[in-house]
Structure formats: structure tokens, C-alpha cells
């Protein structure tokens, strides 16, 4: 039997693209000219590479807020157990605007869900009316954030 050659990995990045991403993680407002100087490319070449990274969905350039400073006093991670298709439940939960993060996991929980809420009443509403009300959800466990000590998006491209 003849084996087909492996298809190229679309997620593979060359070193220059990795360095561009690292520059943007340090400062998402950094100019293409400044990035080009740091990575050895022209401004136009950096602009094209960044646009390809954005179009592919590999990167997003966003403003990250401190939830407490913009009126969201309660954050929590919620472990969710599911009977049946965890992916289906994950998709339903991902539609909720207060749910910022949904991960299908192995271990004690089928899903981990991060929520950002106005207050404890809002958190209760999300847990009772939007998560536990789904037929496939068999249980939840909430981990309320008391204080955020570190949150970073600068882990690079290792």
C-alpha cells in the first residue's frame, strides 16, 4: 500500500510570523512599520502577513478589559457534567453572551465554562436558567473568582 505524503499543517508558522505575533501580543497597537523594523520586513509585508493571520482566524487583535472596572463584579469558572453529546451542549453554551470561554475536557467535568457577570444574582440566573436548564446537563460545580492575580495573553508562539 502506498502512503500519501502528509498534508502541510495549516497551523504551522514560520519564525517571522511567530515574531510578528509576539510583537502584537506585546502591543496590539504597534505600527506595521515598527513591527517590520523588529522582524526585518517592510511595512507592506508585515501588513500582508498580519492580514493573512487575521483572515485565517489564527489571531485576533482585541482590547482586553478588566471586568471589575467596567461593571462586571462577578466572574466564575463552572464545571459542567453532561449526559450525551458534550459538543452539542458546548455549542449551546457558547451562544450565551456572558459565557466567555467553553472548553470540552477530560476528567471530572465534561465542560469548563467561564462566565463574566454583573453580580451574584446574574451568576445565579446564568447557572439556573441557562446552564442547568439544558436537558443534557446533569450537574454543575461553580468556582467563584475572589481575586484575579494574573491574566496574560503574552504567552507567545512557543
Amino acid at each position: 500500500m502506498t502512503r500519501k505524503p502528509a498534508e502541510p499543517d495549516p497551523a504551522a508558522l514560520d519564525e517571522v510570523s511567530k515574531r510578528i505575533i509576539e510583537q502584537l501580543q506585546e502591543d496590539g497597537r504597534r505600527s506595521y512599520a515598527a513591527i517590520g523594523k523588529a522582524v526585518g520586513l517592510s511595512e507592506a509585508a508585515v501588513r500582508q502577513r498580519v492580514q493573512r493571520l487575521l483572515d485565517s482566524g489564527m489571531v485576533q487583535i482585541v482590547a482586553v478589559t478588566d471586568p471589575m472596572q467596567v461593571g462586571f463584579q462577578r466572574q466564575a469558572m463552572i464545571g459542567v457534567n453532561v449526559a450525551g453529546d458534550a459538543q452539542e451542549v458546548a455549542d449551546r453554551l457558547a451562544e450565551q453572551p456572558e459565557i466567555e470561554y467553553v472548553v470540552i475536557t477530560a476528567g471530572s467535568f465534561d465542560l469548563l465554562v467561564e462566565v463574566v457577570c454583573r453580580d451574584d444574582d446574574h451568576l445565579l440566573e446564568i447557572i439556573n436558567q441557562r446552564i442547568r436548564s439544558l436537558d443534557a446537563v446533569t450537574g454543575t460545580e461553580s468556582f467563584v473568582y475572589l481575586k484575579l492575580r494574573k491574566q496574560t495573553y503574552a504567552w507567545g508562539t512557543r
Side-chain angles (χ1 to χ4, degrees):
M1 175 190 291
T2 308
R3 299 182 93 197
K4 290 186 352 182
E7 299 215 9
D9 179 6
L13 294 171
D14 67 13
E15 288 305 312
V16 174
S17 290
K18 288 179 181 181
R19 290 175 53 216
I20 289 171
I21 291 169
E22 289 165 357
Q23 289 286 308
L24 289 168
Q25 285 179 320
E26 286 177 18
D27 181 357
R29 299 178 305 155
R30 189 165 286 157
S31 72
Y32 294 136
I35 295 170
K37 192 174 202 177
V39 302
L41 291 178
S42 70
E43 178 180 347
V46 170
R47 182 180 294 110
Q48 288 176 343
R49 282 183 181 245
V50 169
Q51 192 59 54
R52 280 196 304 262
L53 292 167
L54 291 167
D55 290 345
S56 73
M58 194 172 301
V59 300
Q60 297 176 17
I61 300 172
V62 299
V64 178
T65 60
D66 178 342
M68 298 288 279
Q69 292 189 37
V70 293
F72 297 104
Q73 302 301 308
R74 178 58 67 216
Q75 291 178 267
M77 183 68 68
I78 303 168
V80 180
N81 287 314
V82 173
D85 188 349
Q87 292 182 90
E88 199 172 291
V89 175
D91 290 343
R92 296 268 313 273
L93 293 174
E95 294 170 359
Q96 300 296 322
E98 295 90 347
I99 295 176
E100 300 298 323
Y101 179 85
V102 179
V103 179
I104 299 169
T105 65
S108 300
F109 300 104
D110 299 307
L111 306 172
L112 289 176
V113 176
E114 184 177 38
V115 297
V116 177
C117 310
R118 291 183 307 274
D119 52 31
D120 287 339
D121 289 335
H122 192 199
L123 175 60
L124 180 60
E125 174 201 335
I126 292 167
I127 293 169
N128 277 336
Q129 296 173 13
R130 302 203 206 160
I131 298 175
R132 289 181 181 157
S133 66
L134 297 176
D135 289 337
V137 172
T138 60
T140 64
E141 185 173 347
S142 301
F143 303 91
V144 174
Y145 298 3
L146 299 176
K147 189 170 195 172
L148 185 60
R149 297 298 289 176
K150 181 178 181 179
Q151 181 175 10
T152 180
Y153 297 97
W155 47 267
T157 56
R158 292 178 262 195

